[in-house]
Amino acid sequence: IAKTAAGVVTGFAGAIGVDTSFSSIANRGASFETAIVNVANSGSGKGGATPADIAKARKGVEGAADATKTDQNAMAGALGRYTSLTGDIDTGIASLTMFGKLARATGTDVEDLAGAAAQIANGLGDVPDKARIVEEALRVVAQQGKLGSVEIKDLAIHMGKFASKAQFYEGSRQDAMATLGALAQLSMKGGASTAAEAASAAGNFNRDIAQKKAGKAFDKYGVKRYEKDGKVRDPAEIIIDALKATGGNGQKLQEMFTNQSSRKGVLGAAGIYNAAGGGKAGEDAVRAELSKLRASISKTDVETNFQNSANTRDAKAADLNNRVQRKVGEAIDGLMPAF
């Protein structure tokens, strides 16, 4: 009876996602310890981590994993991704709970989010209120990764470029990054065949409209490119004005947007404009699409979605797996001196 009962419990645990294999749990624990030591060494900045550095990294990862019911090995991977790209393990540790909540709230991969955050932080450089800007931009990226054709793992690679370009546009940096992300999504509708091509198209927008030949065409069609302070206008407004001035005609648009790569976002918008019949209806359709793609998931929605996700069997199984993994690790550590 006891054997049968044990089999039932083991089968039930496996069915809800709890790892019941001792060797598997032990191997996961060993991988976790290796990851923690590696990230601590990477972030030490002094040739090697001290036991205190390793303990700090482990505590940060385990605490964030518990707070967000995220697999602790994945959380260690997120810290490793952020630290390897920025060299800033302290900010990485401080950001882990935010990464975990946002990942669970949006159904995205926590390592991909950490990579995107690192790229944004690097691209921004030394700016005031950097942590807030990174978090706000990350909420946009997570939303765009869900709604568009360019997934967050691909957007993450290019967010540094968007962040560095944001300073050239009117408005806040996070708004500019959101718009460039939206342009990358539109580029997939305008002929970009890969995420890298779409991101490049968006990232080069300001450079390409500054060309002398392009400037003459913009003047010809009466489309304004710059504000009085010399910053580039909101790309969405430039594109919409260009569509209105040309009636969505592809040949005329090519006169202003001369670069084949950066033109793809414009052509994506033109497709939406023309499909809606052009004119005011076309303009409204393009604005609606851009508004959808530029919107971030609010902090309130993140919290609500996170709480909902944290109550799922998947989250509870991840939480239990973490605790079992630690207990098995403690048992193995206790046996090691005997050998």
Side-chain angles (χ1 to χ4, degrees):
I1 294 174
K3 185 176 181 181
T4 300
V8 170
V9 171
T10 299
F12 175 76
I16 63 173
V18 178
D19 194 345
T20 57
S21 165
F22 182 85
S23 62
S24 175
I25 296 168
N27 287 335
R28 281 172 48 78
S31 296
F32 176 77
E33 288 301 316
T34 299
I36 290 297
V37 171
N38 287 343
V39 72
N41 282 334
S42 175
S44 68
K46 49 183 180 289
T50 65
D53 293 331
I54 295 171
K56 180 180 178 181
R58 183 185 294 107
K59 181 179 179 181
V61 169
E62 290 181 346
D66 289 346
T68 61
K69 295 184 180 178
T70 300
D71 177 86
Q72 65 181 31
N73 287 52
M75 193 64 81
L79 181 59
R81 180 85 64 89
Y82 187 91
T83 303
S84 67
L85 291 170
T86 65
D88 185 358
I89 190 171
D90 290 334
T91 298
I93 291 173
S95 302
L96 285 178
T97 297
M98 183 265 285
F99 296 158
K101 276 193 171 186
L102 186 55
R104 187 160 283 291
T106 58
T108 49
D109 184 270
V110 70
E111 291 188 46
D112 289 339
L113 277 176
Q119 295 286 7
I120 294 167
N122 286 341
L124 287 172
D126 188 14
V127 297
D129 212 7
K130 186 173 182 176
R132 179 186 62 80
I133 296 173
V134 170
E135 182 178 353
E136 289 187 9
L138 206 57
R139 285 191 278 113
V140 174
V141 171
Q143 189 79 334
Q144 287 180 346
K146 287 177 61 181
L147 297 174
S149 301
V150 184
E151 297 180 5
I152 188 170
K153 64 182 180 180
D154 298 312
L155 277 174
I157 300 171
H158 302 280
M159 285 311 297
K161 185 173 187 177
F162 292 172
S164 65
K165 296 282 187 177
Q167 63 182 307
F168 301 115
Y169 292 91
E170 67 167 328
S172 70
R173 285 175 180 255
Q174 51 269 40
D175 285 347
M177 282 186 275
T179 299
L180 292 176
L183 275 182
Q185 301 290 357
L186 285 179
S187 295
M188 295 297 286
K189 297 177 182 290
S193 57
T194 66
E197 186 181 355
S200 179
N204 292 330
F205 185 86
N206 70 306
R207 180 201 68 187
D208 293 337
I209 66 169
Q211 301 299 318
K212 186 175 181 180
K213 182 179 179 181
K216 290 181 179 179
F218 275 100
D219 291 341
K220 171 184 173 181
Y221 288 104
V223 177
K224 181 181 172 185
R225 293 174 294 165
Y226 300 100
E227 295 293 342
K228 290 181 179 178
D229 60 3
K231 289 198 171 185
V232 180
R233 290 178 66 209
D234 179 348
E237 296 304 319
I238 293 176
I239 291 171
I240 288 170
D241 283 352
L243 291 171
K244 289 160 61 178
T246 62
N249 182 285
Q251 293 295 322
K252 293 178 179 179
L253 287 169
Q254 286 184 38
E255 294 180 44
M256 287 181 277
F257 303 95
T258 56
N259 184 280
Q260 186 176 4
S261 172
S262 58
R263 188 165 61 234
K264 287 182 168 62
V266 180
L267 294 179
I272 295 170
Y273 180 86
N274 291 326
K280 183 65 166 57
E283 179 184 344
D284 289 345
V286 173
R287 287 192 186 282
E289 182 68 12
L290 284 167
S291 179
K292 180 184 78 172
L293 291 173
R294 290 197 289 189
S296 68
I297 180 170
S298 70
K299 284 187 176 182
T300 300
D301 286 345
V302 168
E303 190 60 37
T304 299
N305 291 356
F306 166 71
Q307 292 297 339
N308 290 337
S309 179
N311 285 320
T312 61
R313 288 178 180 173
D314 172 73
K316 292 175 180 178
D319 189 44
L320 183 54
N321 274 330
N322 289 340
R323 298 179 190 282
V324 170
Q325 183 173 312
R326 289 173 210 163
K327 288 297 183 184
V328 170
E330 290 170 6
I332 292 174
D333 288 343
L335 291 172
M336 292 301 283
F339 296 93

